[in-house]
Amino acid sequence: MNMEPLEIFEVYSAIESEAAVYRDITADVMSDLRLASAIGRIKIEIYPEGSLYMLAAMLRDVEMPIRISDMASVDTSYEGGEGFVKITIDREKYMPELTHFLWNKYTPANVVQADRWTILIRAEEPAKEAETLPAQIIANPSKNLHADMVEFSIRCVPEGFRVRYHTYENNEYLFIASEDIIEPTQLEHAKKMMEKLRKAVPDVTETKTADGKEKREAKNKSETATAATTGKEGQ
């Protein structure tokens, strides 16, 4: 999978040989959750002897809450003598969220997908509904990203690190996990990680991507093919 490059992707472990392993785990989970395009910079530090895991990430800007008017136009329509609210889709990106919202509000029996771009809704007062629907919020990308980042962190953290703390503010996400109580000094260290991440200058000569699993698989295939070719030549 071709991922958008990260500006900074750093993983440090007090046990040096484990850093690459944690980096691959991070890349794989990032890929699974499709977060690479949302994360601009990420720095992770792991101290196994101290049972401490710290993650600082700067996230790219996400869309504001999505209203129906952002993806569709709303009007009334009369079909077979019956009045409907007519929604004409302009953007399909948030169709699942729109459908879920309409089903909850009107029940599935009253929501008809006339075609790919048209939804008809049975309502007692179609004109009134058509007037209020455009302002309704159907998705909040920022809120979804917050939840995804929490899941991302939990899946990356070593097993047994069940004491957790995180903050998410102004596109900055900080996560700490430990087997023990998180100390104020550890929190301060994590905040300094974030501060360094803000000030860091990306290395423009190196492309950092969240493709750990894909890169390993490609490398393994390449090595296998090379070995097979070498074997044939030696026969």
Side-chain angles (χ1 to χ4, degrees), residues 83-229:
F84 291 89
V85 178
K86 181 180 180 181
I87 298 179
T88 304
I89 307 300
D90 299 319
R91 298 170 59 198
E92 289 187 286
K93 182 176 180 180
Y94 292 100
M95 273 296 293
E97 289 84 354
L98 174 62
T99 302
H100 182 72
F101 173 85
L102 296 176
W103 282 4
N104 281 342
K105 185 173 176 63
Y106 300 104
T107 76
N110 290 316
V111 179
V112 180
Q113 182 92 35
D115 57 51
R116 179 177 176 181
W117 305 104
T118 309
I119 297 175
L120 299 176
I121 303 168
R122 295 186 182 89
E124 292 183 4
E125 300 181 77
K128 183 178 180 180
E129 295 295 325
E131 184 178 343
T132 59
L133 269 179
Q136 297 297 311
I137 294 174
I138 58 169
N140 190 335
S142 178
K143 184 177 180 180
N144 294 343
L145 179 57
H146 184 186
D148 288 343
M149 286 300 297
V150 172
E151 181 180 354
F152 166 69
S153 305
I154 292 173
R155 287 174 59 177
C156 289
V157 78
E159 188 175 351
F161 286 38
R162 301 191 182 280
V163 180
R164 299 162 185 158
Y165 168 89
H166 83 273
T167 60
Y168 176 45
E169 187 176 3
N170 298 325
N171 284 3
E172 294 183 348
Y173 178 82
L174 199 62
F175 178 88
I176 308 174
S178 177
E179 290 182 341
D180 306 309
I181 295 174
I182 296 171
E183 301 291 342
T185 54
Q186 296 170 339
L187 180 57
E188 283 303 312
H189 182 88
K191 289 180 178 178
K192 288 180 180 178
M193 284 173 57
M194 180 65 77
E195 187 176 345
K196 290 179 180 178
L197 206 56
R198 289 191 207 108
K199 296 178 179 179
V201 178
D203 182 358
V204 296
T205 63
E206 181 182 357
T207 299
K208 302 172 179 63
T209 56
D211 58 357
K213 181 165 53 181
E214 290 83 357
K215 186 177 289 184
R216 291 196 306 276
E217 290 174 351
K219 182 180 179 181
N220 290 338
K221 288 180 181 178
S222 176
E223 290 175 349
T224 301
T226 301
T229 302

